[in-house]
Coordinates of all heavy atoms in Angstrom, one line a residue:
M19 N 11.6 63.7 154.0 CA 10.7 64.1 155.0 C 10.2 65.5 154.7 O 11.0 66.5 154.4 CB 11.4 64.0 156.4 CG 10.5 64.3 157.5 SD 9.8 62.7 158.0 CE 8.7 63.2 159.2
V20 N 9.0 65.8 154.8 CA 8.4 67.0 154.4 C 8.4 67.9 155.7 O 8.0 67.4 156.8 CB 6.9 66.9 153.9 CG1 6.3 68.2 153.7 CG2 6.9 66.0 152.7
K21 N 8.8 69.1 155.6 CA 8.8 70.0 156.7 C 7.3 70.5 157.0 O 6.6 70.8 156.0 CB 9.6 71.3 156.5 CG 11.1 70.9 156.5 CD 12.0 72.1 156.0 CE 11.7 73.4 156.6 NZ 12.6 74.5 156.2
K22 N 6.9 70.4 158.2 CA 5.6 70.8 158.6 C 5.5 72.3 158.8 O 6.3 72.9 159.5 CB 5.1 70.0 159.8 CG 5.0 68.5 159.5 CD 4.3 67.8 160.6 CE 4.2 66.4 160.2 NZ 3.1 65.7 160.8
S23 N 4.5 72.9 158.2 CA 4.3 74.3 158.4 C 2.8 74.7 158.3 O 2.1 73.9 157.7 CB 5.2 75.1 157.4 OG 4.7 74.8 156.1
I24 N 2.5 75.8 158.7 CA 1.1 76.3 158.6 C 1.0 77.2 157.4 O 1.8 78.2 157.3 CB 0.7 77.0 159.9 CG1 0.7 76.0 161.0 CG2 -0.7 77.6 159.7 CD1 0.4 76.7 162.4
R25 N 0.1 76.9 156.5 CA -0.1 77.8 155.4 C -1.5 78.4 155.4 O -2.5 77.7 155.7 CB 0.0 77.0 154.1 CG 1.4 76.5 153.9 CD 1.6 76.2 152.4 NE 3.0 75.9 152.1 CZ 3.9 76.8 151.7 NH1 3.6 78.0 151.4 NH2 5.2 76.4 151.4
I26 N -1.7 79.6 155.0 CA -3.0 80.3 155.0 C -3.3 80.6 153.5 O -2.5 81.2 152.8 CB -3.0 81.5 155.8 CG1 -2.7 81.2 157.3 CG2 -4.3 82.3 155.7 CD1 -2.5 82.4 158.2
F27 N -4.4 80.0 153.1 CA -4.8 80.2 151.7 C -6.0 81.2 151.6 O -6.8 81.3 152.5 CB -5.3 78.9 151.1 CG -4.2 77.9 151.1 CD1 -4.2 76.8 152.0 CD2 -3.2 77.9 150.1 CE1 -3.1 75.9 152.0 CE2 -2.1 77.0 150.1 CZ -2.1 76.0 151.1
N28 N -6.1 81.9 150.5 CA -7.1 82.9 150.4 C -8.4 82.3 149.8 O -9.5 82.9 149.9 CB -6.7 84.0 149.4 CG -5.6 84.9 150.1 OD1 -5.6 85.0 151.3 ND2 -4.6 85.4 149.3
S29 N -8.3 81.1 149.1 CA -9.4 80.5 148.5 C -9.2 79.0 148.5 O -8.1 78.5 148.6 CB -9.7 81.0 147.1 OG -8.6 80.6 146.3
L30 N -10.2 78.2 148.3 CA -10.1 76.8 148.1 C -9.4 76.4 146.9 O -8.7 75.4 146.8 CB -11.6 76.1 148.2 CG -12.3 76.2 149.5 CD1 -13.7 75.6 149.3 CD2 -11.5 75.4 150.6
E31 N -9.6 77.2 145.8 CA -8.9 76.9 144.6 C -7.3 77.0 144.8 O -6.6 76.2 144.2 CB -9.3 77.9 143.5 CG -10.7 77.7 143.0 CD -11.8 78.3 143.9 OE1 -11.4 79.1 144.8 OE2 -13.0 77.9 143.8
E32 N -6.9 78.0 145.5 CA -5.5 78.2 145.8 C -5.0 77.1 146.6 O -3.9 76.5 146.3 CB -5.3 79.5 146.6 CG -3.9 79.9 146.8 CD -3.7 81.1 147.6 OE1 -4.7 81.9 147.7 OE2 -2.6 81.4 148.1
Q33 N -5.7 76.6 147.6 CA -5.3 75.4 148.4 C -5.2 74.2 147.6 O -4.3 73.4 147.6 CB -6.3 75.2 149.5 CG -6.0 74.1 150.4 CD -7.1 73.8 151.5 OE1 -8.1 74.5 151.5 NE2 -6.9 72.9 152.3
E34 N -6.2 74.0 146.7 CA -6.2 72.8 145.8 C -5.1 72.8 144.8 O -4.4 71.8 144.6 CB -7.5 72.7 145.0 CG -7.7 71.4 144.2 CD -9.1 71.4 143.6 OE1 -10.0 72.0 144.0 OE2 -9.1 70.6 142.6
A35 N -4.7 74.0 144.3 CA -3.6 74.1 143.4 C -2.3 73.8 144.1 O -1.4 73.1 143.5 CB -3.6 75.5 142.8
Y36 N -2.2 74.2 145.3 CA -1.0 73.9 146.1 C -0.8 72.5 146.3 O 0.3 71.9 146.2 CB -1.0 74.7 147.4 CG 0.1 74.4 148.4 CD1 1.4 74.9 148.2 CD2 -0.1 73.5 149.4 CE1 2.4 74.5 149.1 CE2 0.9 73.2 150.3 CZ 2.1 73.7 150.1 OH 3.2 73.4 151.0
H37 N -1.9 71.8 146.8 CA -1.8 70.3 147.0 C -1.5 69.5 145.8 O -0.8 68.5 145.8 CB -3.0 69.9 147.8 CG -3.0 70.3 149.2 ND1 -2.2 69.8 150.1 CD2 -3.8 71.2 149.8 CE1 -2.4 70.4 151.3 NE2 -3.4 71.3 151.2
K38 N -2.1 70.0 144.6 CA -1.8 69.3 143.4 C -0.3 69.4 143.0 O 0.3 68.5 142.5 CB -2.7 69.8 142.3 CG -4.1 69.4 142.3 CD -4.9 69.9 141.1 CE -6.3 69.4 141.2 NZ -7.1 69.9 140.0
K39 N 0.2 70.6 143.2 CA 1.6 70.8 142.9 C 2.5 69.9 143.8 O 3.5 69.4 143.3 CB 2.0 72.3 143.2 CG 3.4 72.7 142.9 CD 3.6 74.1 143.1 CE 5.1 74.5 143.0 NZ 5.4 75.8 143.4
L40 N 2.1 69.8 145.1 CA 2.9 68.9 145.9 C 2.8 67.4 145.5 O 3.8 66.7 145.5 CB 2.4 69.0 147.4 CG 2.7 70.2 148.2 CD1 2.1 70.1 149.6 CD2 4.2 70.3 148.3
M41 N 1.6 67.0 145.0 CA 1.5 65.6 144.6 C 2.2 65.3 143.3 O 2.6 64.1 143.1 CB -0.1 65.3 144.4 CG -0.8 65.2 145.7 SD -0.2 64.0 146.8 CE -0.7 62.5 146.0
L42 N 2.5 66.3 142.5 CA 3.2 66.1 141.3 C 4.6 65.6 141.5 O 5.3 65.0 140.7 CB 3.2 67.3 140.4 CG 1.9 67.6 139.6 CD1 2.0 69.0 139.0 CD2 1.6 66.6 138.6
H43 N 5.2 66.0 142.7 CA 6.6 65.8 143.0 C 6.7 64.6 144.0 O 7.8 64.4 144.5 CB 7.2 67.0 143.6 CG 7.2 68.2 142.7 ND1 7.9 68.2 141.5 CD2 6.5 69.3 142.7 CE1 7.6 69.4 140.9 NE2 6.8 70.1 141.6
T44 N 5.7 63.7 144.1 CA 5.8 62.6 145.0 C 6.0 61.3 144.1 O 5.6 61.3 143.0 CB 4.6 62.4 145.9 OG1 3.4 62.3 145.1 CG2 4.4 63.6 146.8
T45 N 6.5 60.3 144.8 CA 6.6 59.0 144.1 C 5.4 58.2 144.3 O 4.5 58.5 145.2 CB 7.8 58.3 144.6 OG1 7.7 58.0 145.9 CG2 9.1 59.1 144.4
I46 N 5.3 57.1 143.6 CA 4.1 56.2 143.7 C 4.1 55.6 145.1 O 3.0 55.5 145.7 CB 4.1 55.1 142.6 CG1 3.9 55.8 141.3 CG2 3.1 54.1 142.9 CD1 4.1 54.9 140.1
T47 N 5.3 55.3 145.6 CA 5.4 54.7 146.9 C 4.9 55.6 148.0 O 4.1 55.2 148.9 CB 6.8 54.3 147.3 OG1 7.4 53.5 146.2 CG2 7.0 53.6 148.6
E48 N 5.2 56.9 147.9 CA 4.7 57.9 148.9 C 3.2 58.1 148.8 O 2.5 58.2 149.8 CB 5.4 59.3 148.6 CG 6.9 59.2 149.0 CD 7.6 60.5 148.5 OE1 7.0 61.3 147.6 OE2 8.7 60.8 149.0
R49 N 2.7 58.0 147.6 CA 1.3 58.1 147.4 C 0.5 57.0 148.0 O -0.5 57.1 148.7 CB 0.9 58.3 146.0 CG 1.3 59.5 145.3 CD 1.0 59.6 143.9 NE 1.7 60.7 143.2 CZ 1.8 60.8 141.9 NH1 1.1 60.0 141.1 NH2 2.4 61.9 141.4
F50 N 1.0 55.7 147.8 CA 0.4 54.6 148.5 C 0.5 54.6 150.0 O -0.3 54.2 150.7 CB 1.0 53.3 147.9 CG 0.4 52.8 146.7 CD1 1.1 52.8 145.5 CD2 -1.0 52.5 146.6 CE1 0.5 52.4 144.3 CE2 -1.6 52.1 145.5 CZ -0.8 52.0 144.3
R51 N 1.7 55.1 150.5 CA 1.9 55.3 151.9 C 0.8 56.2 152.5 O 0.2 56.0 153.6 CB 3.2 55.8 152.3 CG 3.6 55.7 153.7 CD 5.0 56.2 154.1 NE 5.9 55.4 153.4 CZ 6.9 55.8 152.6 NH1 7.0 57.1 152.3 NH2 7.8 55.0 152.0
K52 N 0.6 57.4 151.8 CA -0.4 58.3 152.3 C -1.8 57.7 152.3 O -2.7 57.9 153.1 CB -0.4 59.6 151.5 CG 0.8 60.5 151.8 CD 0.7 61.7 150.9 CE 1.9 62.6 151.2 NZ 1.9 63.9 150.5
L53 N -2.1 56.9 151.2 CA -3.4 56.3 151.1 C -3.6 55.3 152.2 O -4.6 55.2 152.8 CB -3.5 55.5 149.7 CG -4.8 54.7 149.5 CD1 -6.0 55.6 149.5 CD2 -4.7 53.9 148.2
Y54 N -2.5 54.5 152.6 CA -2.6 53.6 153.6 C -2.9 54.3 155.0 O -3.7 53.8 155.8 CB -1.3 52.7 153.7 CG -1.3 51.7 154.8 CD1 -2.0 50.6 154.7 CD2 -0.6 52.0 156.0 CE1 -2.0 49.6 155.7 CE2 -0.5 51.0 157.0 CZ -1.3 49.9 156.9 OH -1.2 49.0 157.9
Q55 N -2.2 55.4 155.2 CA -2.4 56.2 156.4 C -3.9 56.7 156.5 O -4.4 56.6 157.6 CB -1.5 57.4 156.5 CG 0.0 57.0 156.7 CD 0.9 58.1 156.6 OE1 0.6 59.2 156.2 NE2 2.2 57.9 157.0
M56 N -4.4 57.1 155.4 CA -5.8 57.6 155.4 C -6.8 56.4 155.7 O -7.8 56.6 156.4 CB -6.2 58.2 154.0 CG -5.5 59.5 153.8 SD -6.2 60.4 152.4 CE -5.4 59.4 151.1
Q57 N -6.5 55.2 155.2 CA -7.3 54.1 155.4 C -7.2 53.7 156.9 O -8.3 53.4 157.5 CB -6.9 52.9 154.6 CG -7.2 53.0 153.2 CD -6.6 51.9 152.3 OE1 -5.7 51.2 152.7 NE2 -7.2 51.7 151.2
Q58 N -6.1 53.8 157.5 CA -5.9 53.4 158.9 C -6.7 54.5 159.8 O -7.3 54.1 160.8 CB -4.5 53.4 159.3 CG -3.7 52.3 158.7 CD -4.3 50.9 158.9 OE1 -4.7 50.6 160.0 NE2 -4.4 50.2 157.8
M59 N -6.6 55.7 159.4 CA -7.4 56.8 160.2 C -8.8 56.5 160.1 O -9.6 56.7 161.0 CB -7.0 58.1 159.7 CG -7.7 59.3 160.4 SD -7.4 59.3 162.2 CE -5.7 60.0 162.2
T60 N -9.3 56.1 158.9 CA -10.7 55.9 158.7 C -11.2 54.7 159.6 O -12.3 54.7 160.2 CB -11.0 55.6 157.2 OG1 -10.6 56.7 156.4 CG2 -12.5 55.3 157.0
R61 N -10.4 53.7 159.6 CA -10.7 52.5 160.5 C -10.8 52.9 161.9 O -11.6 52.3 162.7 CB -9.7 51.4 160.3 CG -9.9 50.7 159.0 CD -8.9 49.5 158.8 NE -9.1 48.9 157.5 CZ -8.2 48.2 156.9 NH1 -7.0 48.1 157.5 NH2 -8.4 47.7 155.7
L62 N -9.9 53.8 162.3 CA -10.0 54.3 163.7 C -11.2 55.1 164.0 O -11.9 54.9 165.1 CB -8.8 55.2 164.1 CG -7.4 54.4 164.3 CD1 -6.3 55.5 164.5 CD2 -7.5 53.5 165.5
L63 N -11.7 55.9 163.1 CA -12.8 56.8 163.3 C -14.1 56.0 163.1 O -15.1 56.3 163.7 CB -12.8 57.9 162.3 CG -11.6 58.9 162.5 CD1 -11.6 60.0 161.5 CD2 -11.7 59.6 163.9
H64 N -14.1 55.0 162.2 CA -15.3 54.2 161.9 C -14.9 52.7 162.0 O -14.7 52.1 161.0 CB -15.8 54.5 160.5 CG -16.1 56.0 160.3 ND1 -17.2 56.6 160.8 CD2 -15.4 56.9 159.6 CE1 -17.1 57.9 160.4 NE2 -16.0 58.1 159.7
P65 N -14.9 52.2 163.2 CA -14.6 50.7 163.4 C -15.6 49.9 162.6 O -16.8 50.2 162.6 CB -14.6 50.5 164.9 CG -15.3 51.7 165.5 CD -15.3 52.8 164.5
S66 N -15.1 48.8 162.1 CA -16.0 47.9 161.3 C -16.9 47.1 162.3 O -16.6 46.8 163.4 CB -15.2 46.9 160.5 OG -14.5 46.1 161.4
K67 N -18.1 46.9 161.8 CA -19.1 46.1 162.5 C -18.9 44.7 162.4 O -18.1 44.2 161.5 CB -20.5 46.5 162.1 CG -20.8 47.9 162.3 CD -22.2 48.3 161.7 CE -22.5 49.7 161.8 NZ -23.7 50.1 161.1
N68 N -19.5 43.8 163.1 CA -19.4 42.4 162.9 C -20.0 42.0 161.6 O -21.2 42.2 161.4 CB -20.1 41.7 164.1 CG -19.9 40.2 164.0 OD1 -19.2 39.7 163.1 ND2 -20.5 39.5 164.9
N69 N -19.2 41.5 160.7 CA -19.7 41.3 159.4 C -20.3 39.9 159.2 O -20.6 39.5 158.1 CB -18.5 41.4 158.4 CG -18.1 42.9 158.2 OD1 -18.9 43.8 158.5 ND2 -16.9 43.1 157.9
S70 N -20.4 39.1 160.2 CA -20.9 37.8 160.1 C -22.5 37.9 160.0 O -23.1 38.7 160.7 CB -20.6 36.9 161.3 OG -21.1 37.4 162.5
R71 N -23.0 37.2 159.1 CA -24.5 37.2 158.9 C -25.1 36.0 159.4 O -24.6 34.9 159.3 CB -24.8 37.3 157.4 CG -24.2 38.6 156.8 CD -24.4 38.6 155.3 NE -25.9 38.6 155.0 CZ -26.4 38.5 153.8 NH1 -25.6 38.4 152.7 NH2 -27.7 38.4 153.6
K72 N -26.3 36.2 160.0 CA -27.0 35.1 160.5 C -28.3 34.9 159.7 O -29.0 35.9 159.5 CB -27.4 35.3 162.0 CG -26.3 35.3 162.9 CD -26.7 35.6 164.3 CE -25.5 35.6 165.3 NZ -25.9 35.8 166.6
I73 N -28.5 33.7 159.2 CA -29.6 33.5 158.3 C -30.6 32.6 159.2 O -30.3 31.6 159.7 CB -29.2 32.7 157.1 CG1 -28.2 33.5 156.3 CG2 -30.5 32.3 156.3 CD1 -27.7 32.8 155.1
R74 N -31.8 33.1 159.3 CA -32.8 32.4 160.0 C -33.8 31.8 159.1 O -34.4 32.5 158.2 CB -33.6 33.4 161.0 CG -32.7 33.9 162.1 CD -33.5 34.9 163.0 NE -32.7 35.5 163.9 CZ -33.1 36.4 164.7 NH1 -34.3 36.8 164.8 NH2 -32.2 36.9 165.6
I75 N -34.1 30.6 159.3 CA -35.1 29.9 158.4 C -36.3 29.6 159.4 O -36.1 28.8 160.3 CB -34.5 28.6 157.8 CG1 -33.3 29.0 156.9 CG2 -35.6 27.9 157.0 CD1 -32.6 27.8 156.4
R76 N -37.4 30.1 159.0 CA -38.6 29.9 159.8 C -39.6 29.0 159.0 O -39.7 29.2 157.8 CB -39.3 31.2 160.2 CG -38.5 32.1 161.0 CD -39.3 33.3 161.4 NE -38.4 34.2 162.2 CZ -38.8 35.4 162.5 NH1 -40.0 35.9 162.1 NH2 -38.0 36.2 163.2
K77 N -40.1 28.0 159.7 CA -41.0 27.2 159.0 C -42.4 27.7 159.4 O -42.8 27.7 160.6 CB -40.8 25.7 159.5 CG -41.8 24.8 158.8 CD -41.4 23.4 159.2 CE -42.3 22.4 158.4 NZ -42.0 21.0 158.8
W78 N -43.1 28.1 158.4 CA -44.5 28.7 158.7 C -45.5 27.5 158.7 O -45.6 26.8 157.7 CB -44.9 29.7 157.6 CG -44.0 30.9 157.7 CD1 -42.9 31.1 156.9 CD2 -44.1 32.0 158.5 NE1 -42.3 32.3 157.3 CE2 -43.1 32.9 158.2 CE3 -45.0 32.4 159.5 CZ2 -42.9 34.1 158.9 CZ3 -44.9 33.5 160.2 CH2 -43.8 34.4 159.9
T79 N -46.1 27.4 159.8 CA -47.2 26.3 159.9 C -48.5 27.0 160.2 O -48.5 28.0 161.0 CB -46.8 25.3 160.9 OG1 -46.7 25.9 162.2 CG2 -45.6 24.5 160.5
F80 N -49.6 26.5 159.7 CA -50.9 27.1 160.0 C -51.7 26.1 160.7 O -51.8 24.9 160.4 CB -51.6 27.5 158.6 CG -50.8 28.7 158.0 CD1 -50.0 28.4 156.9 CD2 -50.9 30.0 158.5 CE1 -49.3 29.5 156.3 CE2 -50.3 31.0 157.9 CZ -49.5 30.8 156.8

């Protein structure tokens, strides 16, 4: 379990380097778990629309 703390970075590059260093020490299972959590959060923020498609066929008569 990772201890939660607040970190203040001076630049985006420093923040990115820190997160890359953290990811180097994780297992594949932990990475997939984080990916799954991100997917679940995305589904909460952007619920899927009704994916059923309706096809209408119109007969044109003159």
Side-chain angles (χ1 to χ4, degrees):
M19 187 90 186
V20 177
K21 290 171 51 176
K22 296 195 176 199
S23 63
I24 297 174
R25 294 203 174 260
I26 299 173
F27 300 102
N28 294 326
S29 66
L30 291 176
E31 290 81 13
E32 183 181 346
Q33 179 184 2
E34 186 175 339
Y36 173 77
H37 286 292
K38 283 184 180 180
K39 182 180 173 186
L40 284 180
M41 288 301 288
L42 284 174
H43 301 292
T44 59
T45 64
I46 294 174
T47 307
E48 291 171 342
R49 292 178 193 171
F50 275 116
R51 187 178 302 123
K52 286 182 181 183
L53 176 63
Y54 180 75
Q55 289 173 351
M56 288 189 289
Q57 288 174 339
Q58 296 306 313
M59 181 58 76
T60 301
R61 286 185 182 154
L62 286 174
L63 296 175
H64 304 286
S66 64
K67 299 175 183 173
N68 186 1
N69 291 334
S70 64
R71 295 176 62 187
K72 294 181 181 178
I73 299 174
R74 294 182 186 175
I75 301 174
R76 295 183 185 173
K77 183 175 182 181
W78 295 95
T79 59
F80 295 101

